[in-house]
């Protein structure tokens, strides 16, 4: 597709306005530093209410128990809040922490930050893994983490200049708040000149985050070739809502010009060799394995469709005849391939695609020509097939507005699919939605619901409460049968499902509902292993996978790694290894990269041990906040089996076969209702059995509480408060 | 070192140079099957001004390449050793002049080698190859 990206709408007037009306509230100085062996040894605490700033040392215990990233975030949050703290209390924090390996340019996928906060949706800690340049810039300015606490009176911008060692709180009258404008103008404002824009990254949210529980954070980077900012999202759990509630408009970091080895690693040689081996492997294998470099994550769309796992119509079905309109063949020609496509330097997986030249058809930016990041698989499936939207331009427009308004695309996809199913079943109607005809595939109504949310009005405000909130509101108003709403509303612990139809994968059902933060593929993405590669044939295999993989993937978040370079492309001989699902060569790469960076000497078992400390700590944290027991790990039935008659009938053969072969009941002569009831009982029991095995394997009680023995094993017994929580719950 | 330079006051944005670079350099030297790919780009702003995107052999990419696939040759020109390149595209991401080009097949990226074919193609003598001292490696 030939697109003249120079016609993109530019925001010169906004920039002039912002330039003219900025007011410095407070300025401070600090001494910039670069990490040694991955750590600076200090973090930054900012109270946006009082504008007080303090540096804190990184203790040996923090490194030993929590490593970095998500670990540091959880530790700081634990100390900041009480069991009674709610998300909108000033003491709630947003912690941004990149982790010791983050910022390395040699190995792929090492530019991530972890963002942790008490979630408005779940009331427990949420962690979100995000690309973009902010985390590495923060680290190369001198800080291993940033804590944002308090609540500002009026909207404030925090600027951290890691080149000059200056920090400023500023206020800008009439500043735009939607991310694609805000990040663009702030990048220009805080860069010294055009060439300096690559050194600036902006964390921001948007108008919808102000009016909803589902707000997300955008982390920007300047795409030199496109000449515009791009955005990556810390999407899950509503951290953008917390950010806007604190009246933070943006946090901006200007880092030093990036060059290799700013982490000052312990062993450059080992790092270089491991990295080169990995890049070569991606280069040679990606074209035959998944074409990630060409298509980004959207390549999974057609695979999921082919295996009947793509969410369609609120996870009712797993495939759709129109999927070819939004599959990778389409995105390949729609995404403009102009650059190295990493969300950080040196990522040869290169999934950060961009679609240029989208002229918006609706909303406040109607007529503007914009660049949209992606779409990623989650967006294509969530905003697309799950809502029956197969028009790619509308899909991109939904994606764009989610991004700029600061809404999690995964959450929006799932909640909109829920709303549409409620509309399908008559639980909602034109009167109840205030005139929005939310039929499957009606992208215009979908967009209008989103614009309403950004404007703070109408049914959009109800949607912005998320699926969990909507279930409550609908039940209060007598809309629909609460039991049915529970069955079809795809959330656990208050967090919406990400975009895999898990009905036929027991492992993925557990992977979703047994997570700490709520159902999200980054903790246990087992569906591919289970259903496509058939690597988890037995019940025990599944339980073991639900022990190992969440821990393994937790580790990425401790260090600042992206999860994709682990198993999207694998070594040619991976299939012949003893544990192909784990991709042993890549696990060893991670061990080597970590050791080469920090100078420590861990092995693959210690890697899991490091994760287990943080994972179990997070579980206890959940329990401390009132959620994190067995009752909170129960999935909605839609995730496990067929809720409706149509769903059963769409796979009747498969369900009948299961009844005959696994349940031992002859379906012949049984009514559909009887068959559905038998299937439901079987599938839920099977899920609970899996739950028991997983809890046992994790060292938890049957109620899901880590035992004191397990805490001791992990060295968490040194924290009396942690032990107390566990004791109080029979652990 | 040999460096390609452009005098934009002489340039009329007719892009003969880029076309020549496409057919000569991109197809013959880099064996790309799409002649729309050139190592030299002229962006016409449509108002009589423009920007050229060309490699000035500054060597920034040499520093960031993790595989030591980039080296200056005897003439000081930054050349890519295809057999060492691991396709990480650090050079593409880092080149401030946007002169390291992405290969659509994700094979080795490519760049201007100061070959001078475009110089001969320019009817307005806007391009020239000059010999300038090699810059000390910038600490980037
Ligand atoms: S694989 Fe994609 S998301 Fe991960 S670091 Fe690379 S570009 Fe970013
Ligand atoms: S051939 Fe000469 S005049 Fe024409 S675009 Fe190139 S440099 Fe400019
Ligand atoms: S390709 Fe870019 S970075 Fe490399 S020498 Fe040329 S101008 Fe410099
Ligand atoms: S793509 Fe090749 S030449 Fe460029 S930095 Fe990587 S290894 Fe070096």
């Amino acid at each position: 597709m030939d697109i003249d990206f120079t016609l993109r709408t530019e925001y010169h007037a906004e920039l002039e306005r912002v330039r003219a009306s900025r007011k410095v509230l407070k300025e401070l100085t600090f001494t910039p530093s670069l990490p040694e062996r991955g750590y600076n040894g200090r973090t930054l605490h900012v109270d946006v209410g009082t504008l007080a700033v303090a540096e804190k040392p990184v203790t040996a215990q923090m490194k030993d128990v929590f490593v970095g990233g998500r670990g540091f975030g959880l530790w700081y949050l634990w100390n900041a809040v009480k069991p009674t703290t709610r998300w909108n209390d000033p003491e709630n924090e947003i912690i941004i922490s990149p982790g010791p390996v983050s910022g390395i340019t040699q190995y792929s996928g090492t530019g991530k930050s972890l963002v942790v906060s008490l979630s408005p949706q779940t009331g427990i800690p949420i962690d979100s893994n995000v690309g973009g340049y902010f985390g590495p810039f923060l680290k190369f300015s001198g800080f291993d983490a940033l804590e944002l606490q308090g609540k500002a009176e009026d909207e404030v911008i925090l600027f951290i200049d890691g080149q000059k060692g200056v920090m400023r709180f500023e206020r800008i009258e009439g500043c735009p708040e939607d991310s694609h404008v805000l990040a663009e103008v702030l990048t220009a404002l805080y860069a010294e000149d055009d060439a300096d824009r690559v050194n600036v990254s902006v964390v921001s949210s948007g108008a919808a985050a102000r009016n909803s529980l589902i707000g997300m954070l955008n982390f920007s980077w300047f795409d030199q070739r496109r000449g515009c900012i791009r955005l990556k999202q810390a999407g899950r759990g509503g951290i953008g809502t917390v950010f806007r509630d604190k009246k933070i408009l943006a946090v901006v970091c200007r880092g030093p010009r990036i060059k290799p080895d700013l982490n000052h690693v312990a062993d450059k040689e080992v790092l270089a060799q491991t990295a080169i081996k990995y890049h070569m492997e991606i280069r040679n294998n990606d074209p035959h394995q998944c074409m990630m470099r060409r298509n980004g994550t959207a390549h999974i769309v057609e695979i999921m469709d082919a295996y009947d796992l793509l969410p369609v119509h609120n996870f009712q079905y797993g495939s759709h005849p129109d999927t070819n309109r939004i599959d990778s063949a389409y995105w390949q020609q729609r995404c403009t391939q102009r650059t190295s496509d990493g969300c950080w330097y040196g990522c040869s997986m290169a999934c950060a695609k961009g679609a240029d030249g989208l002229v918006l058809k609706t909303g406040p930016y109607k007529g503007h020509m914009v660049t949209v990041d992606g779409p990623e698989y989650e967006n294509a499936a969530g905003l697309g097939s799950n809502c029956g939207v197969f028009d790619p331009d509308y899909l991109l427009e939904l994606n764009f507005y989610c991004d700029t308004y600061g809404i999690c695309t995964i959450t929006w996809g799932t909640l909109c699919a829920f709303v549409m199913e409620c509309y399908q079943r008559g639980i909602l109607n034109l009167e109840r939605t205030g005139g929005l005809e939310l039929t499957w595939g009606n992208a215009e109504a979908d967009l209008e619901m989103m614009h309403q949310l950004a404007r703070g009005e109408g049914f959009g405000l109800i949607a912005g409460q998320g699926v969990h909130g909507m279930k409550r509101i609908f039940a209060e108003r007598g809309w629909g049968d609460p039991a049915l709403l529970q069955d079809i509303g795809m959330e656990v612990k208050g967090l919406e499902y990400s975009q895999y139809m898990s009905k036929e994968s027991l492992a993925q059902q557990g992977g979703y509902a047994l997570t700490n933060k709520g159902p999200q593929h980054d903790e246990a993405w087992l569906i591919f292993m289970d259903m496509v590669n058939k690597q988890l044939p037995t019940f025990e295999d599944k339980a073991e996978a639900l022990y190992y993989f969440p821990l393994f993937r937790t580790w990425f978040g401790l260090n600042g790694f992206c999860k994709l370079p682990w198993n999207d492309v694998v070594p040619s001989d991976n299939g012949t290894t003893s544990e192909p699902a784990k991709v042993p060569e890549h696990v060893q790469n991670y061990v080597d990269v970590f050791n080469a960076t920090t100078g420590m000497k861990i092995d693959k078992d210690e890697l899991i041990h490091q994760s287990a400390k943080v994972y179990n700590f997070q579980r206890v944290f959940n329990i401390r906040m009132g959620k994190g027991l067995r009752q909170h790990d129960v999935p909605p039935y839609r995730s496990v089996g067929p809720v409706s008659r149509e769903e059963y009938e769409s796979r009747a053969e498969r369900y009948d076969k299961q009844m005959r072969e696994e349940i031992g009941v002859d379906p012949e002569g049984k009514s559909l209702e009887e068959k559905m009831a038998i299937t439901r009982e079987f599938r839920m029991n099977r899920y609970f059995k899996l739950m028991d095995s997983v809890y046992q394997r994790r060292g938890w009680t049957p109620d899901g509480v880590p035992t004191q023995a397990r805490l001791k094993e992990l060295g968490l017994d040194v924290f009396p408060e942690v032990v107390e929580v566990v004791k109080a719950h029979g652990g | 070192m040999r460096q390609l330079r452009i005098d934009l006051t002489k340039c009329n944005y007719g892009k003969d140079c880029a076309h020549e670079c496409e057919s000569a350099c991109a197809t013959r030297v880099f064996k790309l099957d799409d002649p729309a790919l050139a190592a030299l780009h002229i962006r016409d702003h449509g108002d009589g001004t423009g920007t050229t995107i060309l490699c000035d052999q500054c060597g920034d990419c040499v520093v960031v390449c993790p595989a030591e696939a980039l080296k200056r040759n005897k003439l000081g020109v930054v050349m890519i050793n295809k057999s060492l390149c691991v396709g990480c595209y650090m050079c593409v991401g880092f080149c401030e002049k946007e002169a390291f080009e992405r290969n659509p097949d994700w094979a080795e990226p490519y760049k201007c080698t100061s070959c001078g074919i475009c110089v001969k193609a320019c009817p307005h003598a806007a391009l020239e190859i000059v010999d300038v001292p090699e810059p000390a490696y910038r600490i980037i």
Side-chain angles (χ1 to χ4, degrees):
Chain A
M1 201 169 278
D2 208 12
I3 285 160
D4 187 354
F5 66 90
T6 59
L7 298 177
R8 185 189 307 109
T9 305
E10 290 177 350
Y11 299 98
H12 300 294
E14 285 78 357
L15 176 58
E16 289 321 310
R17 211 172 56 226
V18 159
R19 210 168 247 145
S21 60
R22 64 198 280 207
K23 187 172 141 208
V24 177
L25 303 177
K26 185 174 181 179
E27 181 169 299
L28 317 114
T29 55
F30 69 98
T31 313
S33 66
L34 286 169
E36 281 302 323
R37 300 188 168 202
Y39 292 100
N40 282 288
R42 62 173 171 164
T43 64
L44 187 65
H45 181 278
V46 173
D47 186 323
V48 294
T50 59
L51 308 189
V53 173
E55 289 183 12
K56 290 184 179 177
V58 172
T59 63
Q61 187 183 55
M62 277 171 72
K63 284 202 221 174
D64 178 42
V65 182
F66 299 103
V67 184
R70 171 171 158 191
F72 280 11
L74 288 165
W75 174 237
Y76 279 145
L77 190 64
W78 175 283
N79 292 313
V81 303
K82 302 184 287 289
T84 50
T85 303
R86 293 294 157 255
W87 69 272
N88 51 0
D89 289 329
E91 71 252 30
N92 187 19
E93 288 195 341
I94 296 169
I95 301 108
I96 302 174
S97 175
V101 178
S102 182
I104 278 185
T105 57
Q106 288 91 333
Y107 201 76
S108 287
T110 49
K112 297 286 187 167
S113 316
L114 267 288
V115 193
V116 174
S117 188
L118 270 193
S119 160
Q121 291 188 265
T122 65
I124 53 176
I126 185 83
D127 56 275
S128 217
N129 174 315
V130 57
Y133 290 4
F134 185 88
F137 284 169
L138 176 76
K139 182 165 158 176
F140 299 143
S141 297
F143 302 106
D144 294 336
L146 167 67
E147 285 172 272
L148 298 165
Q149 207 176 22
K151 217 185 253 202
E153 258 172 51
D154 229 330
E155 298 196 316
V156 64
I157 294 172
L158 169 63
F159 174 53
I160 303 167
D161 187 338
Q163 291 192 21
K164 295 197 170 146
V166 173
M167 241 178 262
R168 279 203 300 272
F169 294 93
E170 299 192 7
R171 185 159 297 152
I172 297 174
E173 290 306 324
C175 196
E177 71 177 318
D178 290 333
S179 278
H180 79 292
V181 186
L182 179 64
E184 191 83 50
V185 299
L186 293 188
T187 299
L189 185 72
Y190 290 109
E192 305 257 289
D193 52 37
D194 282 357
D196 192 36
R197 285 178 295 180
V198 293
N199 304 322
V200 175
S201 176
V202 179
V203 179
S204 63
S205 199
R210 191 164 30 80
N211 301 322
S212 70
L213 298 182
I214 58 172
M216 60 79 173
L217 289 180
N218 284 302
F219 281 48
S220 76
W221 87 91
F222 188 73
D223 182 332
Q224 196 173 280
R225 302 225 168 193
R226 289 189 167 88
C228 66
I229 56 101
R230 305 273 304 278
L231 302 169
K232 282 281 156 187
Q233 294 77 28
R236 307 306 327 266
I239 307 177
T241 299
V242 182
F243 194 80
R244 297 299 284 125
D245 182 66
K246 291 189 175 305
K247 294 245 172 69
I248 307 173
L249 201 51
V251 181
V252 185
C253 188
R254 175 170 178 251
R257 177 82 175 119
I258 297 305
K259 59 177 182 140
D261 198 30
L262 289 180
N263 264 307
H264 296 131
V265 303
D267 192 337
K268 272 195 213 177
E269 209 37 51
V270 170
L271 181 61
Q273 280 161 12
T274 315
I276 286 172
K277 180 183 68 161
Y278 180 78
H279 288 310
M280 206 59 183
E281 182 193 313
I282 295 288
R283 193 194 147 164
N284 294 338
N285 295 354
D286 180 60
H288 317 293
Q289 292 184 6
C290 63
M291 303 252 284
M292 186 76 114
R293 279 154 73 105
R294 180 157 286 218
N295 303 330
T297 54
H299 79 271
I300 318 172
V301 172
E302 59 264 34
I303 303 176
M304 290 299 138
D305 187 77
Y307 283 87
D308 209 10
L309 302 170
L310 185 74
V312 171
H313 295 176
N314 194 28
F315 303 88
Q316 292 185 74
Y317 311 108
S319 64
H320 194 281
D322 290 339
T323 299
N324 61 346
R325 296 179 62 197
I326 57 164
D327 70 6
S328 68
Y330 177 76
W331 300 120
Q332 192 176 119
Q333 48 102 16
R334 183 65 184 81
C335 291
T336 343
Q337 312 266 343
R338 297 187 45 79
T339 177
S340 48
D341 284 343
C343 68
W344 175 243
Y345 295 95
C347 182
S348 36
M349 193 61 100
C351 77
K353 305 301 171 192
D356 286 305
L358 181 75
V359 180
L360 299 167
K361 294 197 258 273
T362 71
Y365 303 103
K366 183 175 174 176
H368 290 213
M369 186 193 267
V370 296
T371 290
V372 191
D373 201 56
E376 295 172 37
Y377 165 76
E378 290 289 332
N379 302 344
L383 303 170
S385 59
N386 210 6
C387 297
V389 173
F390 292 98
D391 177 321
D393 271 356
Y394 269 121
L395 202 163
L396 285 177
E397 181 148 344
L398 284 160
N399 197 346
F400 168 82
Y401 272 114
C402 274
D403 286 356
T404 202
Y405 284 156
I407 304 172
C408 171
T409 48
I410 294 178
T411 303
W412 188 264
T414 298
L415 77 79
C416 182
F418 171 70
V419 165
M420 286 177 166
E421 185 171 350
C422 288
Y423 202 91
Q424 173 200 323
R425 299 193 185 284
I427 297 165
L428 291 175
N429 51 39
L430 276 181
E431 195 196 318
R432 291 176 178 176
T433 63
L436 297 175
E437 195 181 2
L438 286 151
T439 49
W440 298 116
N442 189 347
E444 281 182 19
D446 185 349
L447 277 160
E448 182 49 31
M449 181 162 75
M450 206 187 286
H451 298 318
Q452 284 184 356
L453 178 56
R455 296 195 299 265
E457 63 184 40
F459 191 76
L461 280 175
I462 296 178
Q465 297 302 301
V467 171
H468 189 73
M470 278 193 281
K471 282 181 190 169
R472 180 179 43 79
I473 295 167
F474 294 0
E476 279 167 9
R477 298 186 181 183
W479 297 354
D481 168 12
L484 176 66
L485 293 172
Q486 177 52 32
D487 276 357
I488 65 174
M490 293 293 280
E491 56 92 15
V492 174
K493 302 181 179 76
L495 192 73
E496 285 78 3
Y497 273 68
S498 72
Q499 309 302 336
Y500 295 95
M501 208 282 290
S502 57
K503 273 184 282 199
E504 308 316 327
S505 168
L506 177 61
Q508 186 62 42
Q509 291 160 27
Y512 269 141
L514 300 174
T515 45
N516 271 330
K517 69 175 152 202
Q520 158 78 358
H521 56 289
D522 73 348
E523 188 173 309
W525 186 61
L526 301 177
I527 203 156
F528 205 75
M529 274 172 215
D530 199 21
M531 303 303 292
V532 180
N533 290 345
K534 310 252 183 262
Q535 286 160 325
L536 309 170
T538 68
F539 193 80
E540 288 67 35
D541 291 334
K542 294 180 209 292
E544 181 60 27
L546 284 164
Y547 169 74
Y548 177 84
F549 290 104
L551 292 184
F552 180 63
R553 298 184 88 153
T554 293
W555 194 78
F556 294 149
L558 306 184
N559 285 292
F561 280 115
C562 170
K563 63 192 183 293
L564 301 179
W566 160 52
N567 70 344
D568 276 83
V569 175
V570 299
S572 316
D573 63 355
N574 188 54
T576 64
T577 60
S578 56
E579 295 179 294
K582 293 183 179 171
V583 199
E585 187 177 322
H586 288 180
V587 175
Q588 190 55 43
N589 285 353
Y590 286 115
V591 167
D592 293 342
V593 170
F594 178 83
N595 287 345
T597 304
T598 61
M600 287 158 74
K601 294 265 172 299
I602 66 161
D603 58 15
K604 64 181 194 323
D605 299 324
E606 178 59 22
L607 180 160
I608 294 298
H609 188 63
Q610 284 184 327
S611 297
K613 294 182 206 177
V614 178
Y615 195 84
N616 282 274
F617 179 77
Q618 189 167 354
R619 182 75 179 185
V620 178
F621 201 160
N622 285 355
I623 299 170
R624 180 189 183 217
M625 300 310 294
K627 227 179 229 182
L629 304 173
R630 188 181 182 93
Q631 55 173 305
H632 306 113
D633 288 347
V634 180
Y637 185 55
R638 173 62 56 72
S639 151
V640 177
V643 172
S644 68
R645 296 172 62 98
E646 310 93 271
E647 276 169 277
Y648 191 97
E649 280 167 344
S650 75
R651 294 153 192 259
E653 238 168 80
R654 186 178 323 190
Y655 298 133
D656 285 354
K657 181 164 176 262
Q658 181 172 60
M659 205 171 295
R660 232 182 331 263
E661 293 175 6
E662 292 176 58
I663 313 179
V665 173
D666 186 359
E668 210 50 50
K670 296 239 165 356
S671 73
L672 189 55
E673 271 63 34
E674 282 169 333
K675 291 200 289 186
M676 285 170 67
I678 293 167
T679 302
R680 182 169 187 145
E681 199 195 333
F682 170 76
R683 289 188 164 223
M684 284 312 290
N685 279 341
R686 193 177 57 170
Y687 175 82
F688 287 123
K689 205 173 130 214
L690 179 76
M691 204 173 183
D692 289 334
S693 312
V694 173
Y695 283 176
Q696 197 180 20
R697 181 68 184 88
R698 288 182 181 177
W700 298 354
T701 68
D703 199 24
V705 183
T707 60
Q708 289 184 59
R710 182 72 175 131
L711 292 190
K712 197 159 193 292
E713 217 172 75
L714 296 167
L716 293 173
D717 56 334
V718 297
F719 305 112
E721 270 188 292
V722 174
V723 179
E724 253 170 59
V725 173
V726 157
K727 267 194 191 161
H729 289 85
Chain B
M1 72 185 196
R2 276 167 67 102
Q3 194 188 53
L4 179 66
R5 282 209 181 145
I6 187 161
D7 180 349
L8 280 178
T9 60
K10 292 184 184 166
C11 170
N12 75 338
Y13 307 105
K15 301 182 188 169
D16 301 86
C17 50
H19 294 309
E20 198 55 32
C21 176
E22 278 159 19
S23 56
C25 230
T27 24
R28 260 181 269 141
V29 181
F30 293 102
K31 309 262 183 281
L32 297 164
D33 53 11
D34 181 357
L37 304 155
L40 164 65
H41 288 294
I42 306 239
R43 245 181 237 158
D44 182 354
H45 298 172
D47 58 357
T49 67
T51 331
T52 22
I53 296 170
L54 50 81
C55 170
D56 66 7
Q57 315 297 350
C58 69
D60 285 358
C61 50
V62 178
V63 185
V64 298
C65 172
E68 298 182 15
L70 299 171
K71 287 228 161 48
R72 285 191 194 278
N73 68 9
K74 280 196 233 95
L75 298 168
V77 175
V78 174
M79 300 292 280
I80 179 167
N81 180 339
K82 291 192 196 179
S83 63
L84 289 179
C85 172
V86 293
C88 68
Y89 280 45
M90 274 290 280
C91 48
V92 175
F94 250 91
C95 172
E96 278 180 21
K97 287 113 208 159
E98 303 175 40
F100 227 125
E101 287 297 321
R102 199 189 125 137
N103 183 325
D105 296 327
W106 286 100
E108 317 79 43
Y110 60 98
K111 64 180 279 299
C112 162
T113 57
S114 295
C115 72
I117 289 175
C118 51
V119 176
K120 291 189 204 112
C122 177
H124 306 286
L127 286 159
E128 60 174 342
I129 293 273
V130 293
D131 232 330
V132 295
E134 211 171 283
Y137 277 113
R138 203 158 61 107
I139 305 298
I140 56 168

